[in-house]
Amino acid sequence: MTRRIRNEDGIALVMALGITVVLIIFVTGMISLTSSGGRAAQLSAGDVQARQYSDAGLNSAYSMLNYQLTATNGNPAAANLLGCNGATGASDTNGPSNCSSPTVKVICITASSGCTAGTVGSASVYGYYSGTNQTTYNSVTVPASTWLLVSTGYSRNPNTGSTMAKTETATVTVSPLNNGAVAAVWNHIFLTAPLVPNSCSASFAGNNMTITDPLYVIGNLCITGQNTTIQETTQPVDLMVGGKLILSGSGTSAGTSTKSLTSGVVQGGCNTTGVANAGTTCNSSTHYYVTGTDTWVDARAPVQLASDVASDYANFDPGPNHHCATASNPSNLANTVFDTDTTEGNSNATFELVPGSSYQCTSTSGASVGQLNWDNTNKVLTINGSVFIDGNLTISQTGSYTGTGVIEVSGTITFNGNSTKLCAANPCNTAANGWQGTSGNNSMLTLVSLVASNASAVQFTDNSQTYQGSLWTQPTSGLHFVKNGVTVEGPMSLGSFDASFNNATFIPLPLITNMPVGA
């Protein structure tokens, strides 16, 4: 029995079986580990690819926003630009966006053109815009004037054959457009008639006038009417005069004895006797009350050259070469409204901007490029883009306007009728910040008269008329108030003022720190 127990025959087989089992376990483990690593690597590659597609979607959204800076009437701050509605609906452009049910924009990256949301090789992107105040969207704090972009990229899951999705976000702030230099000219009156020695380049001879705008005068500025002042009300006023400042009327002054202007510079000195006399030191003895000094900026008069006019004549839409694609009331909007021949020369009949019947004109390039509509029932003018009329323009009844645009005419611009008003809202609101600033109303109509050597290039013919908007004339032409009580609110670049009006009021726009798009 002892001998049998000590007999070791067959142990090699047992050991071989044991070693084989260990090797099988080891090899199986290695194969499993290698396969798992491969699957993880493939999954990681799919994850990276989905993120790359998501990044591509964000880049496309950046491009859409950037395009708005160069597109005609583009608005990178339109809350409905990237798949969401505005605050009150799909057509509303004011923020904040309503992204409760966004309509994503599908970007086909490696997928074929025309792919749908969720296709492998694509990205789906939308954007939430905060508007003027900080807001919260999906628990994310979004600062004021900021886009929150949301992009989801789709790739193939190599392990299951299904689709992988990865979402990334980014923020883009819509900065104001050069809100230093641009804002500084936004509320000015520029008087651009050249400096002629011993001659009033700009003359305020009417009585009881109040000028509260920053004022820039290339030549000699003469204030000879009674009780006419340049004074501050709601914001600082800077006075720049390239020649002499004459304050000869009873009660006239630059600033007042109780409230000085913030800053000013007068190149030729001041006097209270007349433009033919020498200018002396500007101080209280010459009715000059200005606290701070400034540096004269020598600017060239903004002449509209013949080449500029020819380009505008050829390209403005609607205009002589771009008639209305669709128009109602043809008697008002026949092609002859813009010109009767093929050359610029003030040859057309006078066009009434706000007549007694409605009209509608959409440019040949679409309403987003040019539009001029008048709703006589509601007394609302819609202006968009640049319009050229080779003739005179009249405004003969009260109305309001909406939109941003310029109407350039070869002839004169005349406001007719007592108490006629053309404002950016109805009723007309000339209170501080009532139109621009905190109101959110960014409409702006610019009226341009190209006629030269005409002191009545822009004329207000009756009493108590009001205009909110921008005015421009050639340096050799000017603005004429025929009667009393006229109010103009907005920036102006004019050659001169006529001297025969009383009780006029010039109202500056508020100092703007966040420029409206298109300003």
Side-chain angles (χ1 to χ4, degrees), residues 58 61-69 75-78 81-82 127-135 141-149 169-179 513-515 517:
L58 291 176
Y62 299 150
S63 297
M64 294 176 197
L65 293 174
N66 194 59
Y67 172 73
Q68 296 299 308
L69 300 177
N75 182 3
L81 185 62
L82 294 175
Y128 171 88
Y129 185 66
S130 61
T132 57
N133 299 303
Q134 176 176 294
T135 56
T141 299
V142 186
S145 302
T146 299
W147 282 98
L148 174 65
L149 305 179
T169 63
T171 57
V172 177
T173 299
V174 180
S175 299
L177 179 62
N178 191 6
N179 64 350
T513 57
N514 191 11
M515 294 299 291
V517 173

Side-chain angles (χ1 to χ4, degrees), residues 73 197 207 233 245 352 519:
N73 300 307
N207 300 322
T233 52
L245 174 60
E352 171 58 48

Side-chain angles (χ1 to χ4, degrees), residues 96-113:
S97 301
N98 179 357
C99 290
S100 56
S101 299
T103 302
V104 297
K105 295 184 179 293
V106 179
I107 312 300
C108 302
I109 303 165
T110 61
S112 58
S113 177

Side-chain angles (χ1 to χ4, degrees), residues 250-393:
S250 173
T252 61
S253 65
T256 66
S257 59
T258 58
K259 184 173 177 57
S260 300
L261 300 183
T262 296
S263 58
V265 56
V266 180
Q267 291 284 88
C270 299
N271 75 49
T272 60
T273 55
V275 71
N277 299 323
T280 61
T281 302
C282 295
N283 53 32
S284 59
S285 65
T286 53
H287 307 165
Y288 182 86
Y289 304 92
V290 178
T291 302
T293 58
D294 205 342
T295 302
W296 171 252
V297 177
D298 193 5
R300 178 180 66 87
V303 179
Q304 186 83 326
L305 302 175
S307 57
D308 300 326
V309 176
S311 175
D312 295 347
Y313 181 91
N315 297 312
F316 275 20
D317 185 1
N321 292 299
H322 300 85
H323 300 149
C324 305
T326 58
S328 63
N329 196 355
S331 63
N332 281 334
L333 285 175
N335 294 340
T336 54
V337 162
F338 305 108
D339 199 4
T340 54
D341 53 31
T342 59
T343 57
E344 189 274 331
N346 192 19
S347 60
N348 214 35
T350 297
F351 177 65
E352 171 58 48
L353 185 63
V354 289
S357 58
S358 300
Y359 64 77
Q360 184 175 27
C361 176
T362 300
S363 79
T364 54
S365 303
S368 62
V369 174
Q371 189 177 20
L372 184 65
N373 299 339
W374 168 244
D375 179 354
N376 188 58
T377 301
N378 296 302
K379 309 300 182 186
V380 176
L381 178 75
T382 301
I383 175 70
N384 183 37
S386 301
V387 180
F388 194 103
I389 297 172
D390 191 27
N392 300 321
L393 182 75

